[in-house]
Amino acid sequence: MDSIMQNLSVWISAMRLRTLPLSVSGIIIASSFAEYNGYFDWSIFILAILTTISLQVLSNLANDYGDGMKGTDDDNRIGPERAIQSGKIRPDEMFEVIKLNILVCIVLAFLLIFAAFGSQHFMLTLLFFVLGIGSVIAAVRYTIGSKAYGYRGLGDLFVFVFFGLVSVVGCYVLYAKKLDHVVFLPAITIGLLSVAVLNLNNMRDIKSDLISGKMTLAVKLGLEKAKAYHYGLIISAIIISTLFGILYYTSPYNLICFLTYIPLLKHLRTVKKNTVAKDLDPELKKVALSTFFLAVLLAIGHLL
């Protein structure tokens, strides 16, 4: 029993469940607007959450496998120990679980699309099948393969598109079967903050990534310029969400999400003061949780 529990804990650690709140932030916002406009459906909500979680877990396992096989995760890495790096999970075991996870993602995406559109809305059904396949490919190809986009400085773009635009705008369309201008500013906000989390991760690993040839945007920019880029991401997210609160104001409750600006601004001060990349590791959780709570408070503010 002890060995089973130990093995289970290793797999849970490899799935990096701490990343899940950030991944569902867009679903929370889109669902709150769907409820406000009378489109909410519990089956779509549950399946959207499960699909998003399965995609995030797939991304985490694929990153562990890809970086492990490329030798990027070594003793120079500052962040939490990876499963393949530590030898606790063999590459062939990880690869088999990744294939199973892909199947789970496809099944959940199919159920989600069917729950949303049924046998109607053929063009939307086709579009979301393409988005679903694209999401799976994006989750896997971040570090896996000879042309992994995470090794070419394209991770920021993909995170913005999938964690921001696809997550918020796409999820809202699943409910409403149409676009609505109200979701675009929140989608951009969540996208920018998600990119900020990735940039923090890449700034933390800037030395080990440079040695291993993982050319993230942070590596290409260098630490000081990556910090300036980071300030731009956070400040832009604050400005855009403030603009949203003003343009779509209906009650004082709409503005309670502004409370999350306090930890975000404190975070920027911490980033500015830290000159050693490894000291940025604790800030990852702060920004991820701030993004999640911004989504929750924004949702609550528009439902009260």
Side-chain angles (χ1 to χ4, degrees), residues 45-66:
F45 176 72
I46 292 170
L47 285 168
I49 290 288
L50 291 176
T51 302
T52 301
I53 289 174
S54 67
L55 284 167
Q56 183 62 56
V57 170
L58 173 62
S59 177
N60 293 341
L61 295 179
N63 290 349
D64 195 310
Y65 179 84

Side-chain angles (χ1 to χ4, degrees), residues 242-303:
T242 300
L243 182 62
F244 173 79
I246 294 170
L247 291 177
Y248 294 92
Y249 179 87
T250 56
S251 79
Y253 292 116
N254 298 157
L255 308 180
I256 60 174
C257 66
F258 291 4
L259 292 172
T260 57
Y261 297 169
I262 298 171
L264 286 173
L265 291 172
K266 285 184 176 180
H267 159 73
L268 287 183
R269 187 172 63 178
T270 302
V271 171
K272 184 177 181 179
K273 292 193 315 185
N274 278 320
T275 57
V276 181
K278 67 179 181 180
D279 295 335
L280 297 174
D281 188 58
E283 296 301 304
L284 278 164
K285 185 182 293 185
K286 295 178 185 178
V287 179
L289 288 177
S290 294
T291 305
F292 174 73
F293 284 118
L294 186 150
V296 170
L297 292 177
L298 194 153
I300 292 172
H302 281 77
L303 292 177

Side-chain angles (χ1 to χ4, degrees), residues 190-260:
I190 296 299
L192 290 171
L193 291 174
S194 298
V195 173
V197 173
L198 176 65
N199 187 55
L200 266 178
N201 182 85
N202 291 340
M203 283 196 292
R204 179 200 66 192
D205 296 338
I206 196 166
K207 288 186 177 179
S208 59
D209 285 347
L210 180 60
I211 293 170
S212 63
K214 186 176 183 179
M215 301 304 292
T216 63
L217 188 56
V219 169
K220 291 183 176 183
L221 291 173
L223 183 58
E224 289 307 311
K225 288 184 179 179
K227 280 187 175 185
Y229 169 59
H230 192 74
Y231 306 149
L233 291 170
I234 299 290
I235 293 171
S236 296
I238 290 174
I239 291 172
I240 290 170
S241 56
T242 300
L243 182 62
F244 173 79
I246 294 170
L247 291 177
Y248 294 92
Y249 179 87
T250 56
S251 79
Y253 292 116
N254 298 157
L255 308 180
I256 60 174
C257 66
F258 291 4
L259 292 172
T260 57

Side-chain angles (χ1 to χ4, degrees), residues 8-18 81:
L8 181 62
S9 67
V10 170
W11 279 104
I12 291 175
S13 176
M15 292 176 185
R16 291 157 59 196
L17 302 185
R18 65 186 178 278
E81 187 178 57

